[in-house]
């Protein structure tokens, strides 16, 4: 188990490898040094907390490889830009005040019931599926937010709490978006 808490505002990661769970926390941001393709590699679960700032950046997402583990939780006071270069991204909970952007070479899946991703704007890009027919990926965007992205396979997305605003999503196969309130679709392509 690796637990690292920064006393400085930002934590910048070049490369971290662990044989168990990894927990990282910083008062402001957790950022990629941009020196290697994958910043975090572990056989366990990953938990990330960026108090008032960002997880990664739009130009340099925080990239991780979890061999058998999941992204247990990720929380950012502003934005979360998260990426896996191999395999699926299985998540527990992801929260960002502004944008939560998740990119996976494989699928983006949820490991817990309930809302998996909560942010004003949600961006999901998967090389394969988003969610599954048996376990929809549950999201909660902001009142002025959006849901955008693509899947190289199919997508099953669910929003039970707020009107799903400004949705633009593309898949190569099936696309299922289920909402309990209003849905404003800009573009849905399957």
């Amino acid at each position: 188990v690796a637990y690292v808490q920064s006393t400085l505002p930002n934590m910048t990661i070049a490369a971290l490898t662990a044989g168990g769970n990894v927990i990282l926390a910083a008062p402001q941001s957790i950022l990629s040094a941009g020196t290697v393709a994958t910043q975090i590699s572990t056989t366990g679960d990953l938990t990330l907390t960026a108090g008032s700032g960002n997880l990664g950046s739009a130009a340099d997402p925080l990239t991780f490889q979890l061999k058998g583990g999941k992204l247990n939780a990720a929380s950012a006071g502003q934005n979360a830009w998260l990426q896996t270069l191999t395999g699926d991204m299985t998540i527990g909970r992801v929260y960002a005040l502004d944008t939560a952007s998740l990119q996976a070479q494989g699928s983006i899946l949820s490991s817990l019931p309930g809302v998996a991703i909560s942010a004003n704007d949600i961006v999901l890009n998967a090389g394969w599926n988003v969610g599954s027919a048996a376990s929809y990926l549950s999201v909660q965007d902001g009142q002025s937010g959006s849901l955008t992205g693509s899947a190289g396979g199919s997508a099953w997305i669910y929003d039970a709490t707020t009107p799903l605003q400004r949705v633009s999503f593309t898949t190569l196969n099936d696309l299922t978006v289920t909402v309990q309130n209003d849905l404003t679709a800009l573009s849905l392509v399957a």
Side-chain angles (χ1 to χ4, degrees), residues 2-3 14 20 26 33 36 40 49 53 59 87 92 106 142 149 151-152 157-158 164 178:
Y3 176 76
V36 295
I40 303 164
T49 304
I157 301 169
Y158 177 72
L164 197 52
T178 304

Side-chain angles (χ1 to χ4, degrees), residues 5-75:
Q5 181 171 354
S6 177
T7 57
L8 298 174
N10 297 320
M11 177 187 302
T12 302
I13 300 176
L16 181 125
T17 302
N21 294 341
V22 173
I23 301 167
L24 304 176
Q28 190 168 342
S29 297
I30 301 174
L31 304 169
S32 164
T35 55
V36 295
T38 301
Q39 288 79 52
I40 303 164
S41 180
T42 182
T43 57
D45 294 340
L46 176 62
T47 301
L48 303 166
T49 304
S52 63
N54 299 310
L55 291 169
S57 70
D60 270 323
L62 197 57
T63 304
F64 53 89
Q65 181 178 10
L66 307 177
K67 302 170 192 163
K70 65 182 176 301
L71 179 60
N72 193 45
S75 177

Side-chain angles (χ1 to χ4, degrees), residues 108-140:
I108 299 173
L109 306 167
S110 177
S111 65
L112 299 172
V115 174
I117 305 167
S118 179
N120 190 59
D121 295 305
I122 299 170
V123 181
L124 304 171
N125 289 301
W128 191 232
N129 295 328
V130 172
S132 70
S135 180
Y136 283 40
L137 185 68
S138 183
V139 301
Q140 179 179 5

